[in-house]
Amino acid sequence: MTDFALNGPPLEGDRVRLEPLDHRHAPDLAAAAGEDRASYGFTLVPDPAAIGPYIDAQLARAAAGRLAPYAQIDRASGRAVGTTAFWEPRLWPTTGRLRAVELGFTWLATSAQGTGLNVESKLLLFRHAFENWGAGRVDLHTDARNSRSRAAIEKVGARFEGVLRNWAPSSAPGEEGLLRDSAMYSIIAQEWPERRALLEERLARYRPGAGL
């Protein structure tokens, strides 16, 4: 693959469908963001009234080739319950092929957390990056203080690589204009077959009749 362009196609699972983000998702996302926000302390989740500008900003990043944003659709209800994205692709300079990409801008409505949607969403994104795009690495990072997000990242099989100081703008309330320390994680291509099997095993626990 040459002349790589970061265009994320729709990705379909049993529980979640990842659709390219669009303003048609705004009403559902506003409702999702308006649920209990207690778990979002260090996570960038737009205010319900700011969903329109949030989508505009994501689409502008997409137009610049930096982002492939998705709405996460709960297939049981047909409603958008959060977002996620591929972003910051890194290419081989001589061939233009993808060598690494990051997952980010991920959030879910409180009612969708712990339901298996995040696990399946990550499975779909990792699988596409490694098996369709041929990525050698997929990155994830989060505020080093965000123990909830770090635990979720570790549960999908990403390896902790360390903390980079003052790495990214803080998303914590009251810290506008400040930089945060970021906990860095990754899965590399050599690990993917094992990680895929583990994710599929985890996802099976959420299916009807699995005893959960």
Side-chain angles (χ1 to χ4, degrees), residues 27-192:
D28 285 352
L29 291 176
E35 294 186 13
D36 181 3
R37 296 173 63 90
S39 65
Y40 297 150
F42 299 104
T43 301
L44 176 61
V45 179
D47 185 90
I51 287 293
Y54 174 83
I55 294 175
D56 285 337
Q58 296 297 72
L59 295 180
R61 293 184 179 100
R66 296 184 54 211
L67 191 75
Y70 286 102
Q72 300 196 65
I73 311 298
D74 177 3
R75 291 194 60 192
S77 67
R79 298 177 62 84
V81 293
T83 70
T84 192
F86 290 113
W87 70 311
E88 300 294 14
R90 303 192 298 281
L91 309 182
W92 289 102
T94 55
T95 65
R97 294 177 58 198
L98 182 72
R99 60 183 175 87
V101 70
E102 187 169 332
L103 303 186
F105 291 99
T106 300
W107 61 273
L108 280 172
T110 299
S111 60
Q113 296 173 21
T115 64
L117 265 69
N118 181 60
V119 175
E120 187 170 53
S121 175
K122 291 297 190 295
L123 173 62
L124 295 172
L125 293 166
F126 286 136
R127 187 170 65 195
H128 190 76
F130 288 120
E131 299 179 18
N132 292 84
W133 286 341
R137 171 187 170 97
V138 177
D139 308 332
L140 307 93
H141 66 80
T142 188
D143 193 309
R145 300 166 294 179
N146 192 342
S147 57
R148 185 186 185 96
S149 178
R150 292 180 67 168
I153 291 171
E154 290 167 4
K155 284 179 180 178
V156 298
R159 178 179 294 187
F160 175 58
E161 296 182 322
V163 173
L164 297 183
R165 299 177 299 164
N166 280 4
W167 177 254
S170 176
S171 300
E175 295 186 359
E176 293 78 9
L178 299 180
L179 294 172
R180 74 176 196 203
D181 295 348
S182 290
M184 311 298 292
Y185 294 83
S186 73
I187 294 177
I188 62 174
Q190 294 90 328
E191 298 168 338
W192 172 237

